[in-house]
Structure formats: structure tokens, C-alpha cells
Amino acid sequence: MSALPLSAGAIRLDIAVDPQTGDTRRVTIGSTRPTGFSTRLFTGRSPGDVPGLVARMHALCGRSHMVASEVAIVAAMGRDVEAVVAERFEGLVAERLGEHLRSTVMGAGPARAEIADREVLADVRAVLAGVRVLTGGLEPQRGYEAVGSVERIKVALLRLGLAIDRKGRLKTGSGSWGERVLTAVGAGCGDRYETCDRLTAEDDAAVIAALARDPARFAAAPRLDGRCPETGPAARAATGMASADGRTRLSARLGEIAEAAELLGAPEADRRRIEGTWVSGARVDSLTGYAAVESPRGRLHHLVRLDETGRVASYAILAPTEWNFHPQGPLVATLAGNRFDLDGEGARRAERIAGLFDPCVGFEVRIEEMRDA
């Protein structure tokens, strides 16, 4: 398979199919996504400068990165991380809601066509405007403006058909945008998805140990004892079963949108009870701390070591996309279990499947006949 130039900061999926049987013979991932840059960029800086820089460097999930940075640094200093989490939690919830909605509407897949509907577009804009109020700057907005934004978000999401029933399950209204986008990735597409091996908080110790041993290499292609687990909304909601229906995956993302809206309007005591399931952090040794944040796209890890003067000695970031788009990871396994025509429909299928894994950068798909070596 001949190599073609890959766009800067993008991922490319190369799929080779058997021209006789149509079976997928090989899936490879190429990436120009930068990894391992954080130590070079942050070494020698004051810790107080880093969270803001991290947020500005990440156009997607910037608040999650900022909070992960703050928590890791506070942990390295030996201070209590709970106060940081409590102060930043509302912004994390709003970010998850906004990122999930934006990626569903604007990402690869059938939902993009739905924004041609003026009413849908108006509701999407109303939600995202409210999210901007709640995540604006480094401090979440408070008072009447925030309360009004939460109410407008909830009303617009109800019109889009995204709500949570009494049992905590996603409820989409009949004929709603939510129902239509779920139908568009349903069983009629013929897509198949592999069993989900979940990355969880129980893996944090192994992740941090590996990240500390070899930050650049592990951050670029993480593995845990032969495992390449998945992270993100589908993993957070996973039952561990394989599925022939993309609705299971997309329902997890849409369900988190509706859950986030409910959480924004919930009493502070209720939010405090679950903050630890979203963000955790701890001191590794007298100069090192880590954070794990359940960002919109999955479990995000930051690891920082300070020097004796209190400045940054080393810094590592492991983003969710590196797990899901690992060369032997869950997306590759899923694509390998599907069949792709060599016409445009094959590429659309690959884009639809990859879009449900929601990378934090753009991606390209190329499908070719498998050629003999």
C-alpha cells in the first residue's frame, strides 16, 4: 500500500480488503498527532503557569486538561486536591455536555446532516451558548447568568429529544433529533462492534507507573500487560458485550449529555458525592503527583514532577485518543471485524464507526485492495 501525505495533526486509517471475499485483511493507523511534547514545553516553568498553558494548547477538552494539570500539581505539592475538584467541577460537567453535542453534530457520521434543520440548529446553538457561559475563562460563571444558562440548556435538550428517565436511562422523544441520529447508526447499517475492555480507575496505578518509566513512548502507544483497553462514554457505560448496533455506543454519549444537564441543575451535595468518580489525584512521592480526569472522550492522565526549587522538572500527558486509536486498540479491532466495499459506501462505513470512537483530532480513511507482498 503506497503512502500518501497525512494532514498535520490528523489520524489516517488505512484499510486493506480482500478483493475476492471483501474481508478486511489489514487495518493500520498513521498519526501526526504530537505526543511527548509536554516535558520540553513545561520544564523549568513555575507550576502556576502550566494549567493555563495546557488549556490553551488543547482546543478540545481544554478544561479537562486544565483541571488535570491543577490537580496533579497540587498533589505533587502535598496539598489537598478536593478543593480544586469542587471549584472546577461545574465547568467539567458543562464541558462534557458541550463536547459530546458538538462532536455528534459536527463529527463524521449521519448526525451532521441534521443541522440543516433550522430548529435543530437553533437548539444546538442555544446549548453551546449556555456551555460557554459555564466554562468561560478559568472560572465558571455564577449567579443568575449561570442559573439561566442551565435552564436554557435543559429546555433546548428536551426539544432535541435528550432526557433521562426515572431509572437513569436515556429517553429520546418520538421523531426527535435524538431518535433520528440513533436510527441512523442502528442495526440497518450492518456495523459490528467488539466487546469493550474498559479502562477504569483500577488501572490508574499501572498507567502512572508506566507513564513515569517511559513518558514519551507510553503516551504515544499505551498498553497494559497486553491489554489495549477502551475509554470514553461507551466504556463508562459498557456491559462488556459485543454489539451489531451502533446505537449502543451513541446512546452512551447522548445519555451523558442528558445526565450532565441534570447534574448542572442538581443540588451541590449531590454533585459533591460523585466528584471523585470524575476526578482523582494523589502524590506519588515527595515531588511527584498525578491526576486522572474522566474527560468527555475518556480517562485523561497528567503526571508532574517538581524539582527541589518547586519548578517543573518533568511533565507527561496521556490522552484518551491514544488508547482508542492505538495500532492494536479497540477501533482497529472493530474495523478488522467489519467488511468494507471499495466504493464510497465502504469509506462512509469506516468513518461512521471511527466517529463513534470520537478522536480529539481529525481523521482520514483510505480503503484499498490487499496486494500481494
Side-chain angles (χ1 to χ4, degrees):
M1 194 177 284
S2 60
L4 294 176
L6 179 59
S7 301
I11 292 171
R12 186 175 67 210
L13 307 172
D14 288 314
I15 301 172
V17 301
D18 187 319
Q20 302 301 319
T21 66
D23 293 336
T24 299
R25 298 286 297 278
R26 184 174 64 206
V27 179
T28 58
I29 292 184
S31 176
T32 57
R33 171 176 162 79
T35 59
F37 60 86
S38 49
T39 285
R40 297 192 302 273
L41 186 61
F42 300 142
T43 296
R45 290 186 179 271
S46 168
D49 295 339
V50 176
L53 286 172
V54 170
R56 290 193 291 273
M57 287 166 50
H58 294 87
L60 301 181
C61 301
R63 180 162 289 269
S64 292
H65 278 279
M66 183 192 76
V67 174
S69 181
E70 289 181 321
V71 169
I73 289 169
V74 167
M77 293 176 173
R79 290 158 43 194
D80 183 16
V81 303
E82 290 186 2
V84 176
V85 176
E87 183 178 358
R88 304 302 194 195
F89 187 64
E90 181 178 80
L92 288 177
V93 176
E95 179 184 69
R96 180 181 287 189
L97 191 161
E99 289 285 345
H100 280 344
L101 183 62
R102 186 181 294 108
S103 64
T104 304
V105 171
M106 301 303 296
R112 182 183 295 178
E114 292 290 342
I115 61 172
D117 184 318
R118 289 186 178 181
E119 292 183 356
V120 168
L121 181 57
D123 286 329
V124 169
R125 285 175 169 169
V127 172
L128 296 181
V131 167
R132 284 193 294 273
V133 170
L134 297 171
T135 59
L138 294 182
E139 297 290 340
Q141 300 300 309
R142 302 295 181 186
Y144 292 112
E145 187 180 13
V147 172
S149 295
V150 171
E151 289 305 311
R152 286 190 291 274
I153 286 170
K154 295 176 74 171
V155 169
L157 289 178
L158 284 174
R159 287 198 295 262
L160 290 170
L162 301 181
I164 295 296
D165 67 17
R166 292 181 178 179
K167 295 183 178 180
R169 300 173 302 192
L170 175 67
K171 179 176 65 175
T172 56
S174 177
S176 68
W177 173 82
E179 184 182 66
R180 297 197 300 272
V181 297
L182 285 173
T183 299
V185 297
C189 297
D191 306 335
R192 298 197 63 83
Y193 297 87
E194 293 297 305
T195 300
C196 182
D197 175 12
R198 305 167 61 197
L199 182 72
T200 71
E202 294 179 357
D203 297 311
D204 282 347
V207 170
I208 295 304
L211 196 58
R213 284 193 301 270
D214 193 348
R217 186 174 300 180
F218 189 74
R223 291 176 67 92
L224 294 175
D225 294 328
R227 295 171 56 215
C228 292
E230 180 179 345
T231 188
R236 287 189 284 256
T239 60
M241 301 296 290
S243 171
D245 194 334
R247 287 178 296 187
T248 302
R249 284 188 163 271
L250 187 54
S251 289
R253 188 193 301 173
L254 299 183
E256 286 196 346
I257 293 175
E259 288 171 355
E262 293 294 323
L263 194 53
L264 286 172
E268 184 175 352
D270 291 348
R271 288 191 278 181
R272 292 296 296 271
R273 279 195 291 270
I274 68 165
E275 287 171 357
T277 65
W278 285 56
V279 185
S280 60
R283 206 176 198 185
V284 179
D285 58 42
S286 61
L287 295 172
T288 307
Y290 83 89
V293 174
E294 285 290 351
S295 77
R297 290 170 174 82
R299 199 159 184 84
L300 166 70
H301 292 89
H302 281 224
L303 176 68
V304 61
R305 182 170 61 83
L306 305 178
D307 63 21
E308 295 293 342
T309 69
R311 290 188 170 269
V312 175
S314 65
Y315 203 104
I317 298 173
L318 174 54
T321 294
E322 293 3 296
W323 293 104
N324 294 340
F325 283 69
H326 187 284
Q328 289 85 46
L331 173 63
V332 168
T334 294
L335 292 172
N338 281 269
R339 301 180 68 179
F340 302 94
D341 296 333
L342 292 169
D343 58 15
E345 181 53 40
R348 284 190 289 273
R349 167 171 285 184
E351 290 171 355
R352 181 171 59 242
I353 292 171
L356 290 179
F357 283 82
D358 197 15
C360 57
V361 294
F363 65 90
E364 306 163 8
V365 173
R366 185 172 60 142
I367 301 177
E368 286 191 346
E369 291 184 2
M370 184 72 178
R371 296 189 177 94
D372 294 332

